[in-house]
Amino acid sequence: MTEETTEQSHSLSLRVARLLFGGVLAFSAIDNLRDLDGMIEYAKANDAPAPEVTVPAASGSLLAGSIGIAFWRRPKLAALAVLTFLVGTTPVMHDFWAVDEEQQEMELIQFIKNLGLIGGALAFLDVAKREQ
C-alpha cells in the first residue's frame, strides 16, 4: 500500500461517498430485518430459494457489508458482502421480465438502481484492493 493510495481512499469525497453508500444500504438492511416476516413473504412470492434462511442471512450480510464500507473496516470483505447480496437478490427479487405490466416499471427501476449499486460496490472493492 502506497501513501498516495491511502490518501486517495481517505479523501473527503471518498469518505462522504462511503458514508452515503453504506448508510443507504444499512438503512435498507435494517428495514428488511425489522420487517423480516414481510420480507420472507415477499421472497416467497418471488420464488426465492429457502427464504426463511436466505432473507435473514442476506440482510445480515448486507448490514455488515454496508457498515464495513461506511467505516472502511475490512473494506474488501465488506464490498464482497454487498456485492454478493446485490448480485444474488437483484435478478430474483426484481425480475421485471417475469411480472405483469402493472409491476414491470417498478421492478425495472429497482433492477436498474441495483445495477448502479453493484457498480458502486465494485468501485469500493477496487479501492480496497489497491490498498493492499
Side-chain angles (χ1 to χ4, degrees):
M1 177 169 66
T2 66
E3 189 174 317
E4 182 181 332
T5 304
T6 302
E7 284 179 28
Q8 289 173 352
S9 68
H10 297 289
S11 69
L12 178 59
S13 60
L14 194 58
R15 283 182 186 188
V16 170
R18 290 189 334 243
L19 288 171
L20 291 172
F21 184 84
V24 166
L25 292 176
F27 177 83
S28 181
I30 290 167
D31 198 44
N32 287 354
L33 292 167
R34 287 180 53 188
D35 183 23
L36 205 48
D37 291 336
M39 293 308 298
I40 290 169
E41 288 305 313
Y42 181 59
K44 282 181 184 177
N46 283 301
D47 296 323
E52 294 85 2
V53 174
T54 57
V55 170
S59 297
S61 175
L62 178 62
L63 181 59
S66 61
I67 290 170
I69 289 173
F71 297 106
W72 211 239
R73 300 293 181 254
R74 304 203 49 158
K76 187 176 170 185
L77 183 61
L80 286 171
V82 169
L83 273 171
T84 301
F85 172 85
L86 291 167
V87 169
T89 61
T90 299
V92 174
M93 302 306 291
H94 303 298
D95 56 347
F96 63 91
W97 57 89
V99 297
D100 62 34
E101 202 171 312
E102 286 180 10
Q103 291 180 290
Q104 205 164 38
E105 185 176 355
M106 182 184 72
E107 294 301 341
L108 177 60
I109 290 167
Q110 294 300 316
F111 186 90
I112 292 170
K113 173 201 56 125
N114 281 10
L115 290 180
L117 292 170
I118 288 169
L122 286 169
F124 287 121
L125 179 61
D126 187 57
V127 171
K129 284 181 176 181
R130 290 172 192 239
E131 286 189 351
Q132 290 184 329

